[in-house]
Amino acid sequence: LNGQLPMRLYEFEDDYSWVESAAESIARDCRPFLRQLGGNKLPLYRGINYSWAQHADNFIKLPCPVNRAPTGTPMNIHKLCDDWFLKYFNVRYRSNAVFCTGELDRASIYGPVFTVFPIGKFSFCFSPKVVDLLEAWDYPQEMMQRMSDDDASSLVNRTLTFSQYQSTNLQAAITSNCEVMIHCNESYLVNVSKNTKYVLNLLNHFL
């Protein structure tokens, strides 16, 4: 890139020299993801509500969740959703994906915020109508838990079909500010909870 750094590496009290090394790893290992961004430096955020995230390193690598348990969706609905995504997209996106968003404020609701960079081959799925699938249902959780199998299946099929989920156009997925589900083996996470704009500008300078 041409031009000067957005700020000096040591503008803040913390040492931000690690960003260049992180960018080198991302540029080397996340080429499919960066290629789909098409040169646009669109951040994909993830808020993490685990206690370790409060003290996480600046740059970490995490495996993709496997058999993730739902935090609010009734288990019967969760499993039916997984089956639906497997049928139409070949991935159990509700239990085997990283949940992200292009909206920083939305991600911060869930905890310390990181930008996500899938390593190697990855896929994604999103709906331009669904900010958070947990909020997309027309019925309270208690009622969904008591539904018959047929009624629950009908509800899931109707809701997800209406939502128009898609797995193309990563840039549109991120700028929609809706929930983006990323399936990959592992991903890099850059801690942007502190001095978010500065870290992103510096990271983009090196990428």
Side-chain angles (χ1 to χ4, degrees), residues 44-57 60 62 99 104-116 189-194 196:
L44 190 57
Y45 299 110
R46 177 187 178 188
I48 299 180
N49 60 359
Y50 296 114
S51 58
W52 60 261
Q54 299 287 343
H55 311 287
D57 291 339
I60 59 178
L62 286 182
F99 293 176
L104 176 61
D105 290 343
R106 183 75 185 184
S108 66
I109 294 174
Y110 302 98
V113 179
F114 299 76
T115 52
V116 177
L189 273 68
V190 178
N191 194 333
V192 295
S193 292
K194 184 168 57 174
T196 304

Side-chain angles (χ1 to χ4, degrees), residues 120-158:
K121 184 179 180 180
F122 79 102
S123 64
F124 69 94
C125 191
F126 83 105
S127 162
K129 297 182 178 182
V130 176
V131 174
D132 186 335
L133 186 56
L134 183 62
E135 302 169 0
W137 307 106
D138 295 330
Y139 299 90
Q141 295 182 24
E142 296 78 9
M143 183 178 295
M144 291 192 294
Q145 286 176 329
R146 297 194 300 268
M147 283 183 173
S148 68
D149 292 344
D150 287 344
D151 287 345
S153 179
S154 177
L155 171 65
V156 166
N157 185 67
R158 183 172 66 252

Side-chain angles (χ1 to χ4, degrees), residues 77-189:
I77 301 298
H78 173 79
K79 290 181 177 178
L80 287 167
C81 288
D82 248 356
D83 291 342
W84 189 92
F85 282 110
L86 181 64
K87 178 180 179 180
Y88 291 102
F89 296 99
N90 297 315
V91 175
R92 294 188 182 278
Y93 273 112
R94 301 312 293 176
S95 61
N96 192 198
V98 178
F99 293 176
C100 309
T101 177
E103 184 179 8
L104 176 61
D105 290 343
R106 183 75 185 184
S108 66
I109 294 174
Y110 302 98
V113 179
F114 299 76
T115 52
V116 177
F117 295 88
I119 296 173
K121 184 179 180 180
F122 79 102
S123 64
F124 69 94
C125 191
F126 83 105
S127 162
K129 297 182 178 182
V130 176
V131 174
D132 186 335
L133 186 56
L134 183 62
E135 302 169 0
W137 307 106
D138 295 330
Y139 299 90
Q141 295 182 24
E142 296 78 9
M143 183 178 295
M144 291 192 294
Q145 286 176 329
R146 297 194 300 268
M147 283 183 173
S148 68
D149 292 344
D150 287 344
D151 287 345
S153 179
S154 177
L155 171 65
V156 166
N157 185 67
R158 183 172 66 252
T159 301
L160 298 187
T161 300
F162 173 79
S163 298
Q164 299 178 351
Y165 276 93
Q166 51 197 275
S167 58
T168 58
N169 199 336
L170 179 61
Q171 295 178 44
I174 297 175
T175 57
S176 73
N177 291 333
C178 290
E179 179 180 77
V180 182
M181 300 173 289
I182 299 286
H183 171 72
C184 56
N185 288 328
E186 53 189 358
S187 59
Y188 287 130
L189 273 68

Side-chain angles (χ1 to χ4, degrees), residues 19-35 41 59 117-120 188 190 203-207:
V19 179
E20 183 173 8
S21 176
E24 290 176 355
S25 296
I26 292 168
R28 181 189 66 237
D29 300 332
C30 305
R31 292 178 183 176
F33 178 74
L34 297 175
R35 191 179 303 119
K41 305 299 176 62
F59 185 57
F117 295 88
I119 296 173
Y188 287 130
V190 178
L203 183 65
N204 288 338
H205 174 87
F206 290 117
L207 280 176

